[in-house]
Structure formats: structure tokens, C-alpha cells
Amino acid sequence: TQLLEQSPQFLSIQEGENLTVYCNSSSVFSSLQWYRQEPGEGPVLLVTVVTGGEVKKLKRLTFQFGDARKDSSLHITAAQPGDTGLYLCAGELAGTASKLTFGTGTRLQVTL
Amino acid sequence: NAGVTQTPKFRVLKTGQSMTLLCAQDMNHEYMYWYRQDPGMGLRLIHYSVGEGTTAKGEVPDGYNVSRLKKQNFLLGLESAAPSQTSVYFCASRSPGQWSYGYTFGSGTRLTVV
């Protein structure tokens, strides 16, 4: 059973479109991170959110942590081919000695 | 460049063979982790370590063993490889005082067991 479910699993869009990726759980997380992974490489951190309801922006990317700290979303505005990759959310459960639980992943392809 | 280095990058094993994957980090991080990545399942934690000489089981530890004899190295061993262990393995590290900086990952080891 996956603690963190991401949707959609795959997303293929054209340059300039907007998109939202969701990360949902029935568990409460003390913090949540989003990573992006490119082929042949390890995941790279995009953002960390800690407070329920928190919103962070990273250029065209907007991250939100749910009020109850059980879910999160990633919104990309005007997607570009450089946004192509695998997006992973990862949550830290309280009292788990810094272990991250990763979501199932969303593979995004942005075409010209 | 500072970071996490994994060796080897690729390996093909026959069922029943053994091997060790090496992870080395030069950032003086206390915590180190081994994950496996399979299609549609994200990354799943195999074993982790919160300091030199300590290890603990993660979500999917069966069939694997680990050792952390030196702070900078974390070894993952497969005693008798099985086809179900075909996967991409990632090592990661982080500092306990810098949790918001996230994990630093290696570039992975692609293992095929035939």
C-alpha cells in the first residue's frame, strides 16, 4: 500500500499549457518535499513545505501544502519543454527518524 | 564536485549471485539511505543509517544487507540475487540539521538479475 498517491501518473501537454499534479495521503506529514528527476539521474529537490496551507512559488511552479498536511499540489504555469521529467512528492512522517516516504510519481512530457 | 557517488552504474547478475553496491558521500552527512525505484512505485526505502556503525530496516529490506563502517560510505549487499531485485538503486544522504535542504541523491545503479 502506497502512503502517498500521485495523480495523474502520466501527463503529456504542449508548451504553454498549465497543469496541476496532486499528491494525496490519509496520513499527516510533518513536512513534504517535491523533487524532479531526469532520465539517468537521481531526484533533485525543488521545494520543502512545512506549515498547513503553506504556498511556495519557484518561478512558474507553485507548491501548496494542504491545511491538514495530508496532501499537496504542484501547479506549473505556461509549461516549457525543460519542465519535462518525473515529479515526485515525498513526505516525512512525525517521529520517523528523517525517513522520507515517496509518492508514486508523475511523468510529465512537454512538447513544442 | 561534492555529492553522492554510486558504483557501479550498471550491473547484470545471474540469479543466485551476490554483489555489493557502494555509496560514498563527501558532504559529512550523518544520515544515509538506500532506495529502489521501480516503474509506477516511486522510491521505496530498503535500509537507512543515522550514523556510523548504525543501520535500520526500511520498507522493503528482505534480501538485502547493509553496512556503515565509515561515515562517508554506505554499502548495500545482495547475498543471493533474485529477478525481483531487478531495479534502479539510489543512495541518498542528508544532514539532520538541514532537513529543509532535502536529500542529495546519487545518479543510481541499474541492476538486472537474469
Side-chain angles (χ1 to χ4, degrees):
Chain A
T1 302
Q2 206 72 23
L3 272 181
L4 277 169
E5 295 286 344
Q6 285 184 238
S7 61
Q9 191 174 0
F10 300 99
L11 196 53
S12 182
I13 61 172
Q14 291 188 320
E15 183 180 18
E17 292 185 27
N18 302 331
L19 67 117
T20 301
V21 176
Y22 299 94
C23 174
N24 295 299
S25 176
S26 57
S27 300
V28 176
F29 292 94
S30 56
S31 66
L32 194 137
Q33 298 179 331
W34 284 90
Y35 290 79
R36 187 172 79 190
Q37 184 180 16
E38 299 191 15
E41 298 296 329
V44 175
L45 179 71
L46 295 173
V47 77
T48 298
V49 286
V50 178
T51 306
E54 182 176 0
V55 176
K56 281 192 174 179
K57 291 191 175 184
L58 184 65
K59 295 184 181 178
R60 294 175 294 100
L61 278 62
T62 301
F63 304 86
Q64 185 163 8
F65 201 12
D67 291 341
R69 292 185 288 142
K70 292 183 178 181
D71 54 83
S72 181
S73 64
L74 158 60
H75 182 79
I76 301 179
T77 303
Q80 299 178 358
D83 295 326
T84 294
L86 179 67
Y87 289 82
L88 295 159
C89 64
E92 182 171 345
L93 292 167
T96 57
S98 301
K99 292 181 294 181
L100 277 181
T101 298
F102 281 83
T104 47
T106 294
R107 190 166 297 280
L108 171 65
Q109 182 172 24
V110 183
T111 56
L112 293 171
Chain B
N1 290 336
V4 176
T5 302
Q6 292 184 232
T7 53
K9 292 189 182 303
F10 302 94
R11 185 72 186 270
V12 178
L13 283 181
K14 293 183 178 180
T15 297
Q17 286 185 320
S18 63
M19 77 164 294
T20 300
L21 283 66
L22 173 63
C23 176
Q25 54 95 3
D26 58 5
M27 299 168 286
N28 202 36
H29 284 171
E30 287 290 334
Y31 296 172
M32 296 187 74
Y33 309 84
W34 275 107
Y35 283 87
R36 60 177 288 173
Q37 185 172 36
D38 303 291
M41 303 194 72
L43 286 92
R44 292 181 293 169
L45 182 64
I46 305 171
H47 286 280
Y48 65 100
S49 168
V50 296
E52 181 179 318
T54 70
T55 63
K57 294 180 180 179
E59 182 186 358
V60 287
D62 293 343
Y64 305 95
N65 57 76
V66 288
S67 64
R68 182 106 182 262
L69 298 179
K70 294 183 179 181
K71 184 177 183 179
Q72 64 268 33
N73 296 335
F74 196 27
L75 279 62
L76 178 70
L78 285 72
E79 292 183 345
S80 179
S84 61
Q85 294 178 304
T86 293
S87 187
V88 182
Y89 292 85
F90 285 98
C91 176
S93 70
R94 63 169 262 189
S95 170
Q98 297 178 331
W99 56 271
S100 63
Y101 294 172
Y103 288 14
T104 300
F105 281 87
S107 57
T109 295
R110 184 174 294 275
L111 175 66
T112 302
V113 183
V114 296

